[in-house]
Amino acid sequence: MQRLLKLAGAIALVALPLKAQEMVTDFTLDNGMQVVVVEDHRAPVVMHMVWYKAGSADEKPGVSGIAHFLEHLMFKGTENLESGEFSKVVTANGGRDNAFTSFDYTAYHQRIASDRLELMMQMESERMVNLRILESDVLTERDVIIEERNQRTENSPGALFHEQRNAAQYMNHRYGVPIIGWRHEMETLDKQDALDFYETFYAPNNAILVVAGDVNPDEVKALAETHYGVIPANPDLPERLRTQEPPQLSARRMEFRDARVAQEYVTRSYLAPERDPGDQKEAAALTMLAQVLGSGPNSVLAEKLQFGTEQAVYVSAFYSGVSLDDTTFGLVIVPSQGVSLGDAEAALDGAVQDFLRDGVEPEHLERIKMQLRAEQIYARDSADSVGNRYGRALTSGLTVDDVRAWPDLLQAVTEEDIFAAAERVFDVNKSVTGWLMRPKAPEAPAAQEEVKQ
């Protein structure tokens, strides 16, 4: 029976790449706008997304948060749409819409019945070129984003800790500046700041249209040429150059104390390479390293520190290679009751060193590969997931071929690849270690000696 189960697993593993192939069409309009169409005819719905290759890391110094602020203003009026009309039309047609900003991109999307695709292109192309910003909108939305920062960052010790740790990791690169912005700079953002960012980056030759779902590529191309193709390219689009990090020559440490901390923990992050076009092998090895070390209860760190020595209630490793510039590989440990942060950090370091000495169990690696392949196939059931996968990758410098090659690159990672990647990334001189802590208890006053007369 065991031999039959192993044989069935092997057959499934071989068959999975064949099932995972996606029907992808990629072309570029005359004005430089890239269009990616991913067909899935199982349901009459479509995901329409416009991704701009401009995020918070593309902002000028002094106006942090302007990329996210402009995202909010894009839902106001245009020359032919009243303020808020865009979302009302989407809802009236049975769809939903939203947007999001990251370091490397800003994306706008609508999920709707496929026969409403042209309507989405009409409206989205309208706000690409005809945005109308009123002073009243600026004042209102500036208050909105400041309140958003209050809720998501100022009211969360963990978020503040993460923000400070990022700033320590990236001393020169814009990844060290929060996407939502520093509060003191957000408070001064104005209409001209928004228009400058909009007029510089919101152009077809700096945008990627991703359409995923029940669509025909030829029809999408015709619609895209009609609605987006008539928008002129920005001839003054700046080259995407950013200040880079100087070599990190020594380990950095930080403590963050806050009375609201419910659970203290330790994090360690290392500068790490991102996925590069045509060169994703090391990123694939780092992805598998994170899975082996700290993904789930069967991971190396969990088995040793949670269920073995019981020094931690939670432990994890994380890495995301989709990034235009150098990213990070991270570790986190939440100590068990009675275990100090110092002891937890030492235990984490010890577990990593044991892993570097002992290597990867082949059975564990194969199990992870199977799980990843299954997740990738199931993700195809969501047009949102498919559109996000291509949009994030392409705005971060990757190509359609890179996206399609990624699942098989993960399957090809060997134990030797993981071990070599681990030895390169775990350089303490390129790390930042942070302790999230409660405030120190006040010291009791020293007892005074009694003086007898």
Side-chain angles (χ1 to χ4, degrees):
M1 177 61 73
Q2 288 183 341
R3 290 183 61 187
L4 288 174
L5 290 174
K6 288 183 178 180
L7 179 60
I11 292 173
L13 185 59
V14 172
L16 284 174
L18 299 177
K19 295 179 182 178
Q21 293 300 313
E22 292 169 329
M23 295 183 289
V24 183
T25 304
D26 177 27
F27 54 89
T28 302
L29 303 181
D30 291 341
N31 58 10
M33 187 175 190
Q34 184 179 4
V35 183
V36 177
V37 182
V38 187
E39 295 178 71
D40 184 347
H41 301 287
R42 289 178 290 178
V45 296
V46 65
M47 189 73 171
H48 171 263
M49 312 184 81
V50 171
W51 297 72
Y52 292 98
K53 291 182 279 188
S56 66
D58 298 290
E59 299 165 342
K60 293 179 180 179
V63 291
S64 63
I66 192 62
H68 174 248
F69 186 32
L70 177 59
E71 175 212 311
H72 278 244
L73 293 172
M74 287 285 283
F75 288 88
K76 299 302 180 179
T78 70
E79 290 184 7
N80 298 298
L81 293 170
E82 295 298 321
S83 180
E85 185 178 355
F86 190 111
S87 295
K88 290 178 181 177
V89 171
V90 174
T91 301
N93 282 271
R96 55 180 174 80
D97 71 319
N98 213 327
F100 48 86
T101 304
S102 190
F103 288 117
D104 297 317
Y105 52 76
T106 309
Y108 301 85
H109 59 90
Q110 306 88 39
R111 179 179 173 85
I112 202 161
S114 51
D115 62 358
R116 302 294 195 276
L117 176 60
E118 182 170 15
L119 176 60
M120 298 302 103
M121 288 197 186
Q122 287 175 346
M123 295 196 298
E124 195 66 82
S125 61
E126 163 73 14
R127 67 176 173 180
M128 177 183 284
V129 70
N130 291 325
L131 182 65
R132 185 181 65 217
I133 300 177
L134 303 178
E135 288 291 352
S136 57
D137 292 333
V138 170
L139 297 175
T140 301
E141 287 306 313
R142 192 169 61 195
D143 288 342
V144 170
I145 62 170
I146 290 173
E147 181 57 28
E148 185 177 336
R149 179 180 169 86
N150 287 339
Q151 293 179 0
R152 296 185 178 183
T153 305
E154 305 292 351
N155 290 337
S156 169
L160 289 170
F161 171 61
H162 176 77
E163 188 175 81
Q164 293 295 310
R165 185 168 54 82
N166 258 12
Q169 185 84 69
Y170 294 100
M171 299 179 68
N172 196 47
H173 195 284
R174 293 290 295 183
Y175 287 168
V177 178
I179 295 168
I180 198 167
W182 298 116
R183 185 187 181 99
H184 67 284
E185 292 183 349
M186 295 169 66
E187 291 172 343
T188 66
L189 295 177
D190 59 26
K191 176 180 176 179
Q192 193 57 52
D193 294 328
L195 285 174
D196 287 345
F197 198 85
Y198 177 73
E199 292 169 356
T200 299
F201 296 112
Y202 280 49
N205 53 324
N206 198 46
I208 299 168
L209 170 64
V210 179
V211 180
D214 184 26
V215 290
N216 177 284
D218 291 336
E219 294 176 359
V220 172
K221 185 174 184 179
L223 291 174
E225 288 175 339
T226 298
H227 298 287
Y228 293 109
V230 296
I231 301 174
N234 178 7
D236 300 319
L237 182 68
E239 190 175 353
R240 208 171 190 193
L241 296 175
R242 295 168 172 176
T243 55
Q244 296 299 305
E245 281 295 292
Q248 183 177 341
L249 304 178
S250 65
R252 300 168 190 159
R253 300 187 65 87
M254 60 165 287
E255 295 181 0
F256 188 89
R257 295 180 182 273
D258 193 301
R260 299 168 297 178
V261 170
Q263 176 66 66
E264 298 183 326
Y265 60 85
V266 180
T267 66
R268 168 83 54 74
S269 58
Y270 302 83
L271 284 177
E274 76 282 8
R275 288 167 59 181
D276 288 322
D279 184 14
Q280 303 182 91
K281 289 185 178 180
E282 184 162 18
L286 289 170
T287 300
M288 297 304 294
L289 173 63
Q291 292 287 322
V292 170
L293 265 184
S295 179
N298 295 321
S299 66
V300 169
L301 295 180
E303 288 189 349
K304 185 175 183 63
L305 300 176
Q306 279 183 256
F307 309 113
T309 60
E310 297 184 351
Q311 292 169 290
V313 295
Y314 175 79
V315 64
S316 182
F318 47 92
Y319 168 80
S320 175
V322 181
S323 174
L324 188 63
D325 297 312
D326 279 352
T327 183
T328 58
F329 188 102
L331 303 168
V332 61
I333 180 169
V334 180
S336 300
Q337 187 173 2
V339 178
S340 70
L341 293 183
D343 288 342
E345 182 182 338
L348 182 63
D349 287 339
V352 170
Q353 289 304 313
D354 290 346
F355 169 77
L356 292 175
R357 181 194 64 219
D358 300 335
V360 185
E361 293 184 3
E363 296 82 4
H364 187 194
L365 179 57
E366 288 305 313
R367 184 167 59 248
I368 288 174
K369 287 182 177 181
M370 177 67 78
Q371 291 170 347
L372 286 176
R373 180 62 87 189
E375 290 173 4
Q376 289 159 351
I377 291 173
Y378 294 143
R380 289 186 58 215
D381 291 337
S382 168
D384 304 38
S385 176
V386 172
N388 273 278
R389 178 155 43 87
Y390 280 92
R392 287 197 309 271
L394 298 176
T395 49
S396 300
L398 298 171
T399 67
V400 170
D401 287 342
D402 291 324
V403 177
R404 301 192 74 184
W406 181 246
D408 289 336
L409 284 174
L410 291 177
Q411 296 298 318
V413 171
T414 66
E415 299 168 51
E416 291 74 18
D417 294 333
I418 294 174
F419 188 76
E423 286 195 313
R424 284 192 293 271
V425 78
F426 290 138
D427 180 353
V428 70
N429 289 324
K430 296 181 180 179
S431 71
V432 175
T433 303
W435 287 14
L436 179 64
M437 312 169 70
R438 289 182 284 270
K440 292 181 179 179
E443 295 183 5
Q448 296 184 357
E449 294 183 4
E450 183 178 343
V451 180
K452 295 183 178 180
Q453 296 294 329

